[in-house]
């Protein structure tokens, strides 16, 4: 793990969220302190009180925490020898994926596919909870499927966002719809998050299984056959889409419409479905058709990726809004967190 120079105090690191509940401080030389926290390492120049603190304790472990961290050692440091405060253009971006909360047909254990079923009360609560987990992560654009359960999830999640920008569904289906939904204030537009709805992100079309009970179908056709229909890569359910067919539209849409936004540094949230997201994750994580069989997504759990130099770095699910380590992933996120804190306090 490479250490990096940081021009600031320990307090500054703490307030930016790089140092959380547990950190290993180690003196290295007269005036510097090496700090290891959340899989990151920083060399701190010390002055006065801080030098005294480190001398006194030498090598110490600060109070351990119960909060889990999703940082992995893949990323050595977010700072790259740059001051956190100095703004620098970067094409790093955050990508949040959320499978919709529980729907009324999830609850009844029915194959849903492209049938447009709303959320249950539990699904609403899951979406709100998901929103809390990502409430500190910047969102510039939202993509949802054309189905109400994904749209409800996105909107409910955004009610929890600290930045309080207003998600606005774009209506580009006709020239009239476009012109009738125009906003005439640039300032108001800046306070909005465009929401693009796309059928290509819809759940995989389940064909003649739509509306059938999953357990009864397994009893009738056998557990293995039903598992093949539900999870295999290239075997479609009767008259429906296989995951491969679903990927042909969902991943193509992701590459054509969403990837360019990420490459331009926009932070994107996608609210979609078990199988359309499985196909996108297969692309992001370069999973094989064998590996994707065991990929299962829970309802209402946000997953974070950092997009850096055209690579997707999976960061798992932020455990809580106070999950400080999320902001150590990129300089932009660190700056955003700092600004947000300044705005709110
Ligand atoms: O019924 C569906 O549309 C999907 C998602 O709920 O089910 P499965 O998990 O079987 O792919």
């Amino acid at each position: 793990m490479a250490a990096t120079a940081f021009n600031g105090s320990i307090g500054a690191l703490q307030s930016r969220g790089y140092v959380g509940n547990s950190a290993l401080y180690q003196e290295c030389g007269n005036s510097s302190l090496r700090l290891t926290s959340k899989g990151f390492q920083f060399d701190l120049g010390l002055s006065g009180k801080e030098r005294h603190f480190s001398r006194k304790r030498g090598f110490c472990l600060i109070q351990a925490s119960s909060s889990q961290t999703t940082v992995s050692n893949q990323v050595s440091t977010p700072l790259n020898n740059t001051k956190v405060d100095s703004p620098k253009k970067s094409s790093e971006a955050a990508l949040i994926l959320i499978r919709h909360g529980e729907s009324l047909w999830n609850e009844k254990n029915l194959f849903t596919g492209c049938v447009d079923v709303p959320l249950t009360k539990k699904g609403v609560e899951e979406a709100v909870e998901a929103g809390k987990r990502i409430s500190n992560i910047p969102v510039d654009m939202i993509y949802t499927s054309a189905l109400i359960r994904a749209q409800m999830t996105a909107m409910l999640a955004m009610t929890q966002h600290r930045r309080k920008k207003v998600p606005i569904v774009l209506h580009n289906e006709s020239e009239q719809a476009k012109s009738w939904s125009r906003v005439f204030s640039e300032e108001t537009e800046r306070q909005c998050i465009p929401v693009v709805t796309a059928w290509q992100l819809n759940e995989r079309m389940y064909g003649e299984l739509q509306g059938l009970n999953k357990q009864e179908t397994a009893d009738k056709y056998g557990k293995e056959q039903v598992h093949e229909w539900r999870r295999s890569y290239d075997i479609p359910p009767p008259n429906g889409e296989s995951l491969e067919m679903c990927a042909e539209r969902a991943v193509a849409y992701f590459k054509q419409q969403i990837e360019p936004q990420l490459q331009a540094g926009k932070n994107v949230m996608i609210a979609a479905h078990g199988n359309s997201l499985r196909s996108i994750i297969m692309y992001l994580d370069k999973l094989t058709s064998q590996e994707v069989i065991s990929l299962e997504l829970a309802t209402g759990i946000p997953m974070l990726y950092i997009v850096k130099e055209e690579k997707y770095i999976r960061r798992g699910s932020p455990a809580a809004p106070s999950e400080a380590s999320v902001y150590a992933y990129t300089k932009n996120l660190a700056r955003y967190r700092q600004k947000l804190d300044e705005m709110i306090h």
Side-chain angles (χ1 to χ4, degrees), residues 8-9 46 50 59 71 111 125-126 156 162 166 200 204 217 230-231 233 239 256-257 262-263 268 295 322 326:
S9 66
L46 296 177
E50 280 162 356
F59 196 83
V71 172
F111 284 101
E125 285 160 6
E126 284 174 336
L156 288 165
R162 272 178 82 189
V166 179
Q200 292 91 333
R204 145 255 279 274
T217 311
R230 292 181 68 188
R231 291 294 169 264
Y233 179 63
N239 289 317
Q256 282 159 19
Q257 304 294 327
L262 294 164
Q263 295 307 335
V268 172
L295 176 64
S322 56
V326 163

Side-chain angles (χ1 to χ4, degrees), residues 69-340:
T69 171
T70 49
V71 172
S72 86
N73 287 334
Q74 270 173 277
V75 176
S76 59
T77 165
L79 297 175
N80 285 332
N81 298 323
T82 316
K83 269 177 76 176
V84 174
D85 293 338
S86 61
K88 208 177 149 217
K89 231 180 171 281
S90 155
S91 67
E92 293 167 345
L95 168 65
I96 301 164
L97 308 180
I98 306 189
R99 180 184 173 200
H100 61 82
E102 183 196 68
S103 77
L104 283 156
W105 279 16
N106 290 144
E107 187 188 37
K108 289 181 186 292
N109 203 24
L110 304 183
F111 284 101
T112 315
C114 286
V115 183
D116 206 353
V117 178
L119 299 182
T120 58
K121 184 168 177 287
K122 181 180 164 205
V124 169
E125 285 160 6
E126 284 174 336
V128 168
E129 201 46 46
K132 285 184 186 155
R133 288 186 180 211
I134 54 161
S135 60
N136 282 332
I137 301 177
V139 176
D140 300 314
M141 285 202 74
I142 298 173
Y143 289 85
T144 78
S145 74
L147 301 172
I148 194 75
R149 57 192 185 274
Q151 295 178 11
M152 284 177 82
T153 301
M155 294 304 190
L156 288 165
M158 290 314 290
T159 62
Q160 303 303 305
H161 206 272
R162 272 178 82 189
R163 187 64 185 77
K164 296 287 173 232
K165 281 195 176 183
V166 179
I168 303 276
V169 179
L170 300 184
H171 283 282
N172 294 338
E173 58 269 22
S174 70
E175 275 311 311
Q176 191 193 58
K178 209 169 158 178
S179 79
W180 283 26
S181 58
R182 258 187 77 187
V183 173
F184 291 89
S185 156
E186 279 181 18
E187 177 47 28
T188 304
E189 260 194 343
R190 269 194 291 279
Q191 296 310 317
C192 297
I193 304 175
V195 181
V196 180
T197 59
W199 69 267
Q200 292 91 333
L201 298 173
N202 280 7
E203 182 53 295
R204 145 255 279 274
M205 203 276 279
Y206 250 118
E208 289 164 22
L209 300 187
Q210 288 183 174
L212 301 191
N213 181 283
K214 291 178 187 177
Q215 187 53 52
E216 287 167 14
T217 311
D219 295 343
K220 186 168 173 192
Y221 295 96
K223 234 170 114 183
E224 269 157 37
Q225 172 66 81
V226 171
H227 187 258
E228 208 162 58
W229 284 334
R230 292 181 68 188
R231 291 294 169 264
S232 70
Y233 179 63
D234 49 10
I235 301 169
N239 289 317
E241 283 183 308
S242 63
L243 188 67
E244 187 180 22
M245 290 153 82
C246 174
E248 272 165 28
R249 46 144 170 122
V251 177
Y253 183 83
F254 180 85
K255 287 186 187 168
Q256 282 159 19
Q257 304 294 327
I258 304 177
E259 225 163 36
Q261 303 291 348
L262 294 164
Q263 295 307 335
K266 293 245 175 85
N267 302 303
V268 172
M269 178 170 103
I270 305 177
H273 304 265
N275 295 294
S276 55
L277 287 175
R278 282 173 74 227
S279 72
I280 290 173
I281 291 172
M282 186 180 177
Y283 166 69
L284 301 179
D285 289 352
K286 300 190 171 61
L287 301 182
T288 65
S289 49
Q290 269 306 304
E291 287 167 335
V292 78
I293 292 175
S294 50
L295 176 64
E296 292 283 348
L297 304 184
T299 49
I301 304 291
M303 287 161 289
L304 177 67
Y305 283 78
I306 296 300
V307 189
K308 228 173 184 176
E309 288 151 17
E310 301 189 12
K311 288 203 185 75
Y312 294 96
I313 305 162
R314 177 143 57 98
R315 288 310 185 194
S317 185
S322 56
E323 178 75 44
S325 56
V326 163
Y327 305 98
Y329 297 149
T330 76
K331 285 173 288 205
N332 284 346
L333 284 182
R335 274 199 293 274
Y336 173 85
R337 164 75 185 263
Q338 193 190 344
K339 273 196 200 143
L340 200 58

